[in-house]
Amino acid sequence: MLKREDKDIDDLKFTVVQFPAMYAFGLLARLLKTIGPVMATLGNNMNVELSELSGPLREALSALDPEEAQKLVLEILKSTSVIIPDPTGGRKVEFTSSTKIDEVFSGRLMTMFKVVVFAAQVNFADFVQGIGSKLASTGPTATQAPSA
């Protein structure tokens, strides 16, 4: 069963439905190729503050083709929606196209980054945390000196 998580971000309520396994695996492979350093920075802590990602994120984005960056955001947000407040109580917007993403995030790029990180947390937390644990467990221990 696919997990669903809700989160309030910058006064809007976002919902992410977890990707099916094979889709998630393919997207994860692309993400590791393009923004691997950012994923490595997440390590054991998928609740890392966005400010802690600024250096690795800047490096990853500077090496990333702008069209590929847009495609990745569209794919990461594929199963994400938001409730936009209106007089009738709220309107649901699903991020099924770049037009829908523009509608919600124009003038709110920081909010978009926060939502992309949230969607990544929902979909890839177990993998990133597992890799972080493996990296930590294969590092030098108190009884091992790092090789020179």
Side-chain angles (χ1 to χ4, degrees):
M1 178 169 225
L2 300 178
K3 178 171 65 170
R4 171 193 156 131
E5 289 192 29
D6 299 322
K7 185 173 186 178
D8 291 332
I9 299 174
D10 296 341
D11 299 323
L12 294 172
K13 183 176 183 172
F14 293 89
T15 299
V16 174
V17 177
Q18 190 175 48
F19 296 134
M22 292 303 288
Y23 180 84
F25 190 76
L27 181 55
L28 180 62
R30 285 185 56 213
L31 287 171
L32 290 174
K33 280 184 175 179
T34 55
I35 61 167
V38 175
M39 305 277 294
T41 299
L42 291 172
N44 282 326
N45 186 6
M46 285 299 287
N47 294 317
V48 68
E49 291 294 320
L50 197 55
S51 61
E52 295 176 51
L53 297 175
S54 62
L57 187 59
R58 185 175 46 251
E59 287 178 36
L61 290 178
S62 69
L64 189 59
D65 174 64
E67 287 182 26
E68 179 66 8
Q70 292 171 352
K71 288 178 188 175
L72 283 172
V73 167
L74 187 57
E75 287 190 52
I76 292 168
L77 295 180
K78 181 179 182 175
S79 66
T80 302
S81 62
V82 63
I83 302 296
I84 303 293
D86 69 12
T88 64
R91 171 175 64 90
K92 184 177 182 178
V93 176
E94 295 181 353
F95 298 123
T96 56
S97 69
S98 58
T99 304
K100 298 289 186 180
I101 292 172
D102 289 343
E103 177 186 338
V104 174
F105 295 118
S106 289
R108 303 175 104 182
L109 289 179
M110 187 55 73
T111 300
M112 185 175 77
F113 273 110
K114 292 176 186 177
V115 175
V116 167
V117 168
F118 171 52
Q121 290 170 335
V122 171
N123 284 290
F124 308 116
D126 67 328
F127 179 82
V128 173
Q129 290 170 351
I131 291 296
S133 297
K134 288 287 184 197
L135 292 174
S137 69
T138 59
T141 64
T143 58
Q144 290 177 298
S147 36

